[in-house]
Amino acid sequence: MEVESRIPGYSFIQEWLKNIFSRTIRVSDCGPKHVGFIMDGNRRFARKNDIEIKEGHEAGFQSMSKILELLYESGVQSATVYAFSIENFKRSSKEVTNLMELAKDRIKQISKNGELASKYGIKVNVIGDLSLLPEDVLKEMEHAMEITKNNKRAVLNICFPYTGREEIVHSIREVIINTKDSKEINETLIENNLYTKDQPPLDLLIRTSGVSRLSDFMIWQTSHKGVKIELLDCLWPEFGPFRMSWILLKFIFKKSFQIHDEEEDKKNV
Amino acid sequence: MEMEEIQELVYADIRKPKQHFKSDAVDEVIESEGSTLVARDSSNSSSDGSLRNRSLSPSKEMTPEMTTNMKSSDHMDTTDISNQCNGKSQKDATMEKEARIHDKILEKSQIPYGKMQYSLYSGLLVVLSIVFVICRAINYMLNKLRLKISDILNTHSHSPQIIKHDIKSLDKKPTRLGAILNKKSISEINGGINGLLNDASELICWTVASEIPTIILYDYNGQLKNHLMELKNEIYVKLTEYFGKGASENIPNYSIKIPHSNKTIYYDESNKSNSCIEIILLSSIDGKGTIVDLTKTMSQLYHSNDLNINDITVDLVQNELTQLVGPEPDLLLIFSPSLDFQDFPPWHLRLTEFYFEQDNDQVTYSTFRNGLRKYAGCKVNIGR
């Protein structure tokens, strides 16, 4: 933060680099289409830098906006962020209330005119077991979904409150209610009833803070063969567009090699 | 694909949107036509190749009409370009513009690529690619070196005592260990089905020596399940190497379970209670396929009014899947060069800690030991 303000034109140069890079990624046509994030480490970042937890969350939000901008510019059609797990309700009631208030502010901030959502034509999609939310928060979420529903360019899924197992069970229920003949049930049908239906399949998952667990996030989608998973040691607010760029390059490379390999395999068969 | 063929295809693609241009769904037509083109392009060559194709072709062999279509294939804004290079379709272009008028902001943020810009970015991509390849090559070599050193430092010399000693110093160890194994191509060292059986048996010996009671072995194609008897014998041979130095009665008894066919075999059928380790074999059919089967069963129950929809909860599915597939592993070791779950049962990945080593494709004791070390060093706290 401090460095940025000291160098004149820093943000301008950053913006310029970002544009060039994202266009380059688009030209390659091999970039990811759906990226998932587990944004770990806001609180640890606050403790480490001796700032308030609230400010840590703020830094995390800033970092998220920057990353999302880069991704949407690079042709990503769908991003999913893990904001709140159903298990998080187990935290102290004070903290839960704080997080709910925070979420209300954030969702307003994202969907407000001229901010992230309208700037990039993003449809905000709050997914999870919404029945668990307090009424005022739910109202705010529904409002955000309503005003962004006509945006078509990209989707931002906010998992709030969400667990991957709940998502699978939810899908199973939908399938059972809507299918008369049990013979018609298959993998695709279950997949098409997940919260992330109608979107490109997840192809990249990023988790920060050096934790190597999925913590019940998009378990169905991530287990697919070929989904790339990136585990990073840095805390989420420290994760910037530069690291993201490196990951994108890596992704493009793996993907173009993968296509090559698959062709070789076909030839060998 | 030959150039003529591509041209024919492109022509065919051009005709179609032209006919539909007057309709409301201009965007959709262009998008879908575009995507077929892209798919064809990218499946034909790696990113570099397809790039070359595309950046060369408009200038030499393609008519301006085709250029327009090629551009649209990259999901970019076609309006400006078609205005520039195609006089005939100007009317169509204006219509298209009208259709897009509600998305004005959207249009602004999309990039109207000129030919110059396009080649500039392609060039930049090539430069970035070269830089990336160099960095990655160095990274790869360092990783391999690190693995080699780690391999030398972590020797067990087939002695259960050394392994036991290594593991004893750890604060905690998993009760259920999982591993994703890959059959390597037969031309490689330790490749083919024998290599896979060998890897699996070695791993089982280390697990027995670490006194971990359950191991879940996963391979995508179910090769281990198909070679059950060979596996059973191979494990015995390996256990003899590790434990049978004194006398044959030191060799621990073991059970192999295949949940999908509900089958369990013991090495020593007469002494079932004395089994040291339970080996569970899984493959891709135990994952999503089993969830589909469970859904089918519940659907039948629901339609015959034997099951209320509100009774289908996370706990119910958890109970059923634990019976059908088995327990969730605490630690999952992935013995492949990159992190890929390869359709491992999704339900069982919830809180599983996973461990892999970049660029490593061997099943080595050092990876096993490092994985357990990492597991011991991390706290698991649900939701807090």
Side-chain angles (χ1 to χ4, degrees):
Chain A
M1 288 286 214
E2 282 168 24
V3 186
E4 280 172 37
S5 53
R6 249 182 268 149
I7 307 170
Y10 182 88
S11 64
F12 177 76
I13 293 172
Q14 209 179 25
E15 185 77 16
W16 184 71
L17 279 176
K18 188 187 81 186
N19 283 340
I20 290 192
F21 182 76
S22 56
R23 287 172 201 192
T24 310
I25 296 286
R26 271 214 232 174
V27 165
S28 83
D29 207 38
C30 269
K33 293 278 171 276
H34 187 164
V35 185
F37 287 105
I38 305 179
M39 305 179 292
D40 234 356
N42 288 344
R43 283 188 296 176
R44 241 180 293 170
F45 179 78
R47 246 174 277 145
K48 195 172 135 189
N49 291 291
D50 214 14
I51 52 175
E52 271 183 60
I53 290 183
K54 214 175 153 190
E55 288 171 68
H57 283 295
E58 178 63 36
F61 182 75
Q62 294 299 336
S63 163
M64 184 187 87
S65 308
K66 275 187 196 161
I67 302 281
L68 288 180
E69 278 180 26
L70 174 68
L71 287 181
Y72 288 131
E73 292 265 5
S74 310
V76 170
Q77 288 161 13
S78 197
T80 306
V81 296
Y82 202 6
F84 194 87
S85 157
I86 293 175
E87 304 287 344
N88 286 152
F89 281 115
K90 285 181 188 163
R91 292 184 184 183
S92 73
S93 68
K94 196 184 155 211
E95 202 180 340
V96 171
T97 325
N98 276 342
L99 281 169
M100 289 290 159
E101 287 302 315
L102 198 72
K104 259 164 63 180
D105 292 348
R106 291 289 180 258
I107 196 94
K108 271 189 220 159
Q109 207 172 334
I110 292 174
S111 52
K112 201 167 64 184
N113 217 1
E115 286 298 326
L116 198 72
S118 62
K119 207 162 141 194
Y120 293 94
I122 297 166
K123 182 177 156 189
V124 175
N125 199 6
V126 182
I127 60 176
D129 192 355
L130 299 185
S131 65
L132 295 171
L133 290 177
E135 211 169 302
D136 56 326
V137 182
L138 183 65
K139 228 179 205 169
E140 211 56 70
M141 299 288 161
E142 278 168 351
H143 179 65
M145 286 198 265
E146 183 62 30
I147 56 175
T148 58
K149 72 173 181 201
N150 289 323
N151 292 342
K152 289 209 181 83
R153 192 166 159 223
V155 182
L156 173 64
N157 299 307
I158 302 173
C159 299
F160 191 92
Y162 169 96
T163 60
R165 285 189 169 181
E166 196 276 328
E167 182 180 30
I168 294 176
V169 171
H170 176 264
S171 169
I172 290 177
R173 279 195 203 165
E174 293 283 308
V175 168
I176 289 177
I177 291 173
N178 297 322
T179 325
K180 291 248 153 55
D181 186 4
S182 65
K183 283 188 193 104
E184 286 169 21
I185 296 173
N186 57 27
E187 228 180 279
T188 331
L189 198 59
I190 294 187
E191 186 130 0
N192 290 342
N193 278 285
L194 295 173
Y195 294 130
T196 51
K197 59 189 168 197
D198 311 325
Q199 293 171 28
L202 182 83
D203 38 21
L204 178 63
L205 178 87
I206 296 171
R207 172 154 209 175
T208 52
S209 290
V211 180
S212 44
R213 257 173 285 128
L214 290 182
S215 302
D216 219 342
F217 178 65
M218 297 186 96
I219 43 177
W220 178 284
Q221 296 91 330
T222 312
S223 70
H224 273 311
K225 199 176 165 89
V227 175
K228 310 269 180 295
I229 302 154
E230 289 290 338
L231 303 171
L232 301 157
D233 284 331
C234 66
L235 302 173
W236 175 258
E238 296 164 354
F239 177 62
F242 281 103
R243 282 185 211 236
M244 189 65 230
S245 307
W246 178 256
I247 292 174
L248 283 176
L249 271 182
K250 208 164 143 189
F251 183 91
I252 288 175
F253 251 77
K254 271 190 190 160
K255 194 154 180 191
S256 45
F257 276 118
Q258 206 174 17
I259 292 167
H260 191 70
D261 284 349
E262 275 162 18
E263 266 169 45
E264 294 276 295
D265 285 350
K266 271 178 206 161
K267 270 181 212 162
N268 290 339
V269 171
Chain B
M1 207 186 291
E2 291 296 315
M3 208 59 224
E4 285 85 7
E5 275 180 63
I6 301 178
Q7 284 190 4
E8 265 176 43
L9 286 168
V10 174
Y11 271 125
D13 282 344
I14 295 168
R15 300 283 175 258
K16 271 184 253 163
K18 282 257 157 123
Q19 286 158 9
H20 296 295
F21 247 40
K22 297 265 184 298
S23 75
D24 286 332
V26 186
D27 285 3
E28 280 80 350
V29 173
I30 289 198
E31 289 285 326
S32 60
E33 292 298 329
S35 56
T36 47
L37 249 179
V38 173
R40 230 174 274 142
D41 244 340
S42 54
S43 63
N44 257 327
S45 41
S46 68
S47 73
D48 272 19
S50 68
L51 255 176
R52 222 178 304 126
N53 270 348
R54 263 184 264 152
S55 51
L56 282 178
S57 35
S59 58
K60 279 187 185 166
E61 324 209 11
M62 305 261 161
T63 66
E65 264 184 5
M66 290 159 70
T67 321
T68 320
N69 208 288
M70 292 295 275
K71 299 283 176 187
S72 75
S73 75
D74 292 306
H75 304 285
M76 290 151 200
D77 197 340
T78 55
T79 328
D80 294 38
I81 305 153
S82 52
N83 272 336
Q84 281 162 21
C85 33
N86 195 347
K88 269 182 274 173
S89 67
Q90 211 154 37
K91 204 175 154 197
D92 299 336
T94 23
M95 288 206 61
E96 197 188 330
K97 206 161 196 170
E98 270 169 42
R100 280 168 175 244
I101 217 134
H102 65 281
D103 278 342
K104 209 159 186 195
I105 317 147
L106 191 152
E107 211 168 312
K108 221 199 265 171
S109 59
Q110 281 199 346
I111 316 137
Y113 282 177
K115 209 155 69 181
M116 277 287 285
Q117 272 166 303
Y118 192 80
S119 12
L120 185 78
Y121 291 127
S122 308
L124 200 59
L125 183 69
V126 173
V127 174
L128 275 178
S129 307
I130 293 168
V131 174
F132 179 85
V133 166
I134 295 168
C135 296
R136 186 68 184 87
I138 296 169
N139 181 241
Y140 179 82
M141 282 187 287
L142 287 176
N143 280 339
K144 282 283 180 194
L145 189 70
R146 201 169 39 82
L147 287 168
K148 198 107 216 164
I149 293 171
S150 162
D151 215 19
I152 294 166
L153 291 178
N154 291 294
T155 46
H156 53 75
S157 41
H158 291 225
S159 150
Q161 281 76 33
I162 294 180
I163 297 173
K164 203 173 168 182
H165 177 77
D166 282 345
I167 305 303
K168 219 175 183 177
S169 57
L170 301 175
D171 291 339
K172 80 173 181 183
K173 63 180 183 193
T175 46
R176 293 178 295 266
L177 180 70
I180 296 181
L181 301 172
N182 295 296
K183 192 176 107 175
K184 289 189 272 293
S185 114
I186 198 119
S187 55
E188 285 175 59
I189 306 163
N190 209 8
I193 185 67
N194 288 332
L196 181 67
L197 293 174
N198 181 50
D199 285 344
S201 321
E202 286 271 352
L203 191 57
I204 288 164
C205 292
W206 305 330
T207 314
V208 173
S210 317
E211 294 171 345
I212 294 169
T214 310
I215 183 164
I216 299 157
L217 296 178
Y218 176 88
D219 75 298
Y220 182 77
N221 292 316
Q223 298 277 355
L224 289 174
K225 288 185 200 176
N226 296 340
H227 295 83
L228 184 61
M229 284 306 145
E230 286 103 312
L231 178 68
K232 186 181 158 189
N233 293 334
E234 182 72 22
I235 295 171
Y236 187 77
V237 172
K238 278 276 166 338
L239 283 174
T240 321
E241 258 176 55
Y242 278 80
F243 297 91
K245 277 164 193 155
S248 63
E249 61 260 25
N250 290 342
I251 297 167
N253 191 13
Y254 53 93
S255 70
I256 306 177
K257 189 176 168 188
I258 301 179
H260 193 73
S261 44
N262 204 5
K263 187 158 99 178
T264 309
I265 57 164
Y266 289 84
Y267 183 75
D268 184 359
E269 292 283 351
S270 59
N271 200 2
K272 282 184 185 177
S273 58
N274 207 11
S275 168
C276 273
I277 187 163
E278 184 187 27
I279 302 152
I280 300 173
L281 302 182
L282 297 181
S283 68
S284 59
I285 48 169
D286 294 293
K288 292 175 188 125
T290 304
I291 296 181
V292 170
D293 292 341
L294 178 64
T295 312
K296 281 183 183 170
T297 316
M298 289 197 297
S299 166
Q300 280 162 359
L301 289 172
Y302 171 73
H303 288 295
S304 62
N305 284 329
D306 289 324
L307 183 71
N308 190 318
I309 198 74
N310 292 324
D311 290 339
I312 302 174
T313 56
V314 173
D315 291 336
L316 176 79
V317 178
Q318 163 71 6
N319 281 338
E320 294 301 318
L321 285 179
T322 309
Q323 277 175 32
L324 291 169
V325 182
E328 190 183 344
D330 299 318
L331 170 67
L332 183 65
L333 301 172
I334 299 157
F335 294 99
S336 47
S338 64
L339 191 50
D340 181 349
F341 290 122
Q342 305 182 29
D343 282 332
F344 190 87
W347 192 268
H348 295 74
L349 281 174
R350 185 175 68 131
L351 298 175
T352 303
E353 175 90 24
F354 36 87
Y355 184 78
F356 86 111
E357 283 175 357
Q358 186 88 40
D359 296 321
N360 168 41
D361 58 353
Q362 301 293 328
V363 178
T364 57
Y365 177 66
S366 72
T367 309
F368 173 83
R369 194 183 163 196
N370 290 341
L372 286 175
R373 267 190 200 150
K374 172 130 193 279
Y375 181 80
C378 69
K379 283 186 287 177
V380 185
N381 36 11
I382 309 172
R384 272 156 213 265

